[in-house]
Amino acid sequence: MSKQISYSSLNNELKSSQIGVNASELHGLLTGIIAGGIQDKSWQVLLNDMLNNGQSLAGELSTSIEHVYEQIKEQLADDNFEFQLLLRDEGLFEQIDDMVDWINHFLLGLGLAQPQLMKVKGDVGEAIYDLRQIIQLGYDRDDDQEELAFAFEEILEYVRMTVILCYDEFTDHYSSKVLH
C-alpha cells in the first residue's frame, strides 16, 4: 500500500492554497464520494465545485488530493478493513472535533454521490441516521477524560464500519473484478 498521507502535511497544503476545509473534512468528503459509488473521474468535478468554485485545484495540492483519493479507494476495496479516518494525532478534544467534521463532510460526499440518500432503508439507512445523531453529540471539557476517550474510540470504530457498509452497499464491486 502507498505511503500514508499525514494530517498535518495535507492540512498545511490546504491552508496555503486557501481552500476552506481542513484535512479531516477533505478526507471525509472524498470518502463519502467513493463510498457513494463514484469510481470514475467525475469525483474531481464534484470536488472542484465544492472546494474551489468549479475551478481545478492547482499543482501539488491536486497531486496530493489525488493521492488521498487513491489511498481511500485502495483501503475501502481491501478485504482487511484497514480504512481509517484522517484525524489529528493528538488531543482528544481536537480528535473529537475532527471526527465530527469528518462525518459532516462524509455525509455531504455520500449525498452528492447518492442523491436519493434520504430514501435508503435497512441497515445502511439506520447507520446513516446514526451518523447524523453522532454529529449532534456534545462533550464537556470537564467530562471524565478516560470515559470520553473510551466513548470516542467506540464511536470512531462504528463510523469506520459504517463507511465500509456504505461502500459495500453503493459500489459495484463486480465491474472492477474479474469473475472466474
Side-chain angles (χ1 to χ4, degrees):
M1 187 170 286
S2 55
K3 179 182 166 270
Q4 275 295 93
I5 194 137
S6 81
Y7 177 95
S8 59
S9 65
L10 181 58
N11 207 49
N12 289 337
E13 282 186 68
L14 290 165
K15 279 183 185 176
S16 67
S17 296
Q18 298 179 331
I19 301 299
V21 295
N22 66 38
S24 292
E25 292 167 331
L26 174 66
H27 192 266
L29 180 62
L30 288 172
T31 304
I33 290 170
I34 295 167
I38 294 182
Q39 299 290 309
D40 60 16
K41 292 286 185 184
S42 66
W43 71 269
Q44 292 169 325
V45 174
L46 288 172
L47 193 69
N48 291 336
D49 283 349
M50 296 305 300
L51 300 183
N52 206 27
N53 295 322
Q55 302 299 308
S56 293
L57 297 166
E60 286 184 37
L61 179 60
S62 177
T63 303
S64 293
I65 290 174
E66 241 179 270
H67 175 74
V68 172
Y69 174 86
E70 291 301 326
Q71 192 173 70
I72 294 167
K73 226 171 120 172
E74 247 178 67
Q75 289 174 343
L76 288 174
D78 189 312
D79 292 335
N80 294 325
F81 305 111
E82 292 184 16
F83 172 79
Q84 296 294 325
L85 282 67
L86 184 63
L87 309 175
R88 282 177 268 197
D89 291 333
E90 72 285 327
L92 178 60
F93 298 117
E94 289 79 5
Q95 287 184 319
I96 292 170
D97 292 342
D98 281 351
M99 181 182 66
V100 170
D101 290 343
W102 192 98
I103 294 169
N104 270 315
H105 283 76
F106 171 77
L107 290 170
L108 174 61
L110 196 61
L112 290 170
Q114 292 290 325
Q116 300 298 314
L117 190 60
M118 295 300 290
K119 295 180 181 178
V120 174
K121 302 285 185 226
D123 290 343
V124 174
E126 287 177 32
I128 291 166
Y129 174 82
D130 290 345
L131 291 182
R132 289 189 178 105
Q133 297 306 305
I134 289 169
I135 59 178
Q136 295 178 30
L137 294 175
Y139 63 85
D140 190 326
R141 289 191 178 261
D142 296 330
D143 287 344
D144 181 310
Q145 294 281 311
E146 200 171 301
E147 281 183 31
L148 195 57
F150 180 76
F152 169 71
E153 289 300 325
E154 293 286 313
I155 292 169
L156 192 60
E157 183 61 16
Y158 182 80
V159 172
R160 201 174 75 78
M161 288 294 112
T162 297
V163 169
I164 293 168
L165 179 67
C166 289
Y167 177 79
D168 286 344
E169 176 75 15
F170 298 122
T171 304
D172 182 9
H173 301 287
Y174 299 107
S175 65
S176 62
K177 295 182 181 177
V178 178
L179 297 175
H180 296 284

